[in-house]
Amino acid sequence: MALERTFSMIKPDATRRNITGKIVDRLESAGLRVVAQKRILMSKATAEAFYAVHRERPFFQELTEFMSSGPVVVQVLEGENAVLKNREVMGATDPSKADPGTIRADFAESIGENSVHGSDAPETAAEEIAFFFSGSEITG
Ligand code: ATP
Ligand code: MG
C-alpha cells in the first residue's frame, strides 16, 4: 500500500500543559512518522486563514482566538492510510464522545480545546501541508 501524508497540529491547550511529547508518542506508536515539525505562534489572522472553511460557524471567533493564544506544533505525518489512521488515533472532536485510549479521550479539555487537529481527507491534507511547509522542510 502506498504511503500517504497528512497534516497534524498540536493545539495550545497541549503545548501549555507540556504534553507534546506524550502526543507525539501516540502518533508514532500508531505507525505514523513525523517527517516535518515546527513550533510556531499563529497570529489571529493566520488562524482565521487556516480555519477559513469554518468562518460561518458559531464557534469561529472562539476557535481562532484559542488557536492564536499560545504556541502550536505543526507536523507532517507519513504512513499507510495516514489521514484515516491519524483521525482514529485522535478520536472524536468532543472528548466526552471519543473512544477510550484516543488522544482526545485522554488529553483534551473540551470540544474546543481538544489538543490536536488532523486533516480530514487527502485533498485537505495537501492544502494544509502547503499552508505551513515548503517541500524542502519535509524529509522522510
Ligand atoms: P480538527 O479540524 O481540529 O481536526 P475536527 O475535524 O474533529 O477537528 P471540526 O468540526 O473540523 O472538528 O472543528 C474544528 C475545530 O473547531 C475542532 O477541533 C474544535 O477545536 C473546534 N470546534 C468544533 N466544534 C466546536 C464547538 N461546538 N464549540 C467550540 N469549538 C468547536
Ligand atoms: Mg476538521
Side-chain angles (χ1 to χ4, degrees):
M1 191 180 287
L3 284 181
E4 188 174 67
R5 285 178 175 172
T6 192
F7 175 76
S8 162
M9 180 150 42
I10 303 177
K11 296 187 178 186
D13 65 283
T15 59
R16 176 169 35 80
R17 286 176 287 152
N18 203 27
I19 55 171
T20 63
K22 289 193 168 107
I23 290 173
V24 172
D25 182 43
R26 299 291 182 96
L27 301 172
E28 291 182 340
S29 296
L32 294 163
R33 181 176 293 269
V34 180
V35 296
Q37 176 168 267
K38 56 192 173 188
R39 184 173 173 115
I40 60 166
L41 180 61
M42 284 197 283
S43 67
K44 180 80 159 48
T46 300
E48 287 172 0
F50 180 74
Y51 280 114
V53 64
H54 292 315
R55 69 185 166 274
E56 305 302 334
R57 309 273 288 271
F59 55 81
F60 183 68
Q61 282 308 321
E62 182 188 332
L63 173 62
T64 53
E65 268 162 33
F66 166 59
M67 292 302 294
S68 56
S69 70
V72 299
V73 178
V74 290
Q75 306 171 306
V76 181
L77 306 178
E78 187 177 84
E80 287 181 9
N81 281 321
V83 171
L84 195 62
K85 189 175 281 180
N86 184 39
R87 300 283 296 186
E88 284 171 6
V89 178
M90 286 163 54
T93 312
D94 181 348
S96 70
K97 298 185 180 134
D99 287 340
T102 60
I103 292 170
R104 284 167 166 167
D106 290 346
F107 300 122
E109 302 199 296
S110 65
I111 189 168
E113 307 204 1
N114 59 2
S115 302
V116 281
H117 162 83
S119 306
D120 55 16
E123 298 72 33
T124 44
E127 287 170 17
E128 291 174 359
I129 289 169
F131 188 93
F132 286 106
F133 292 98
S134 63
S136 63
E137 292 178 298
I138 307 170
T139 175

